[in-house]
Amino acid sequence: GTLLTDDDVEGYAFPGLLPLVRGYLDSLPDLPLDFRSRLEEYFKLISGRARGDLWTGAKWMRKFVQQHPDYGRDSKVTDKICQDLVTRIHRAGQGNEVIPEMMGDVQPGSVGCHDATDKDCIESLRKKAEDSFGLPGQSLSESVVDRTFERIALNRS
């Protein structure tokens, strides 16, 4: 896939992806502020990666292997290195460890949903998406859009 540049995301030569998305979100009168703030946390990640301030997963894994005490600078990744790498990735994915090079100041759980109100957010976004895509009466509940909203809201992406 194509990587987005800082200009694509923040917009210098053209409006930019994040300003366009923020403008759209500003037009949604019923979007709860706590949900919007969680989205802003994702936007910080996207922007930081586009600027090159935050590492991608690939860069973090390369650095992890290169700095591992068992790495012999011979392009061989041992079972121990693999086990340690998978353990770190799993801990980070579960929210038990922060990888600041990748996350900046965004903490695990700060972008996830944690109560019934979040289900209301998902339902509201689903309804707005149905209306926006001209699909009134057609449910998106089994669609990729719906699963994406749920994954973002439940911090499972």
Side-chain angles (χ1 to χ4, degrees):
T2 303
L3 296 177
L4 295 175
T5 66
D6 188 34
D7 187 44
D8 296 330
V9 172
E10 289 295 344
Y12 303 105
F14 84 103
L17 178 62
L18 289 181
L20 289 173
V21 171
R22 285 183 178 115
Y24 173 72
L25 293 173
D26 289 343
S27 75
L28 302 175
D30 297 332
L31 187 67
L33 291 177
D34 64 329
F35 189 74
R36 172 66 185 263
S37 68
R38 285 191 289 266
L39 290 175
E40 286 296 332
E41 292 294 306
Y42 281 114
F43 298 162
K44 284 194 314 191
L45 288 175
I46 292 167
S47 183
R49 295 250 173 97
R51 282 191 316 273
D53 297 339
L54 298 177
W55 293 0
T56 64
K59 181 174 181 174
W60 179 81
M61 286 188 282
R62 280 192 302 275
K63 294 290 186 181
F64 180 89
V65 169
Q66 291 169 348
Q67 295 171 354
H68 194 280
D70 290 353
Y71 184 62
R73 312 278 183 263
D74 56 4
S75 298
K76 295 179 183 172
V77 180
T78 65
D79 289 344
K80 174 70 171 138
I81 296 170
C82 285
Q83 180 181 1
D84 291 348
L85 178 62
V86 170
T87 298
R88 291 279 309 273
I89 291 169
H90 179 73
R91 289 182 48 74
Q94 295 295 312
N96 297 322
E97 181 173 345
V98 176
I99 301 174
E101 298 89 351
M102 291 178 59
M103 300 295 290
D105 63 356
V106 177
Q107 298 299 311
S110 64
V111 292
C113 293
H114 307 289
D115 58 35
T117 306
D118 300 315
K119 291 181 182 178
D120 295 336
C121 290
I122 295 168
E123 187 57 38
S124 173
L125 287 172
R126 180 184 304 121
K127 176 74 172 112
K128 290 184 186 321
E130 289 171 353
D131 294 343
S132 296
F133 295 125
L135 301 170
Q138 296 181 21
S139 174
L140 296 178
S141 62
E142 297 299 322
S143 72
V144 173
V145 174
D146 184 61
R147 288 192 302 273
T148 301
F149 284 145
E150 288 179 1
R151 285 185 184 131
I152 290 171
L154 298 173
N155 199 19
R156 292 185 193 169
S157 55

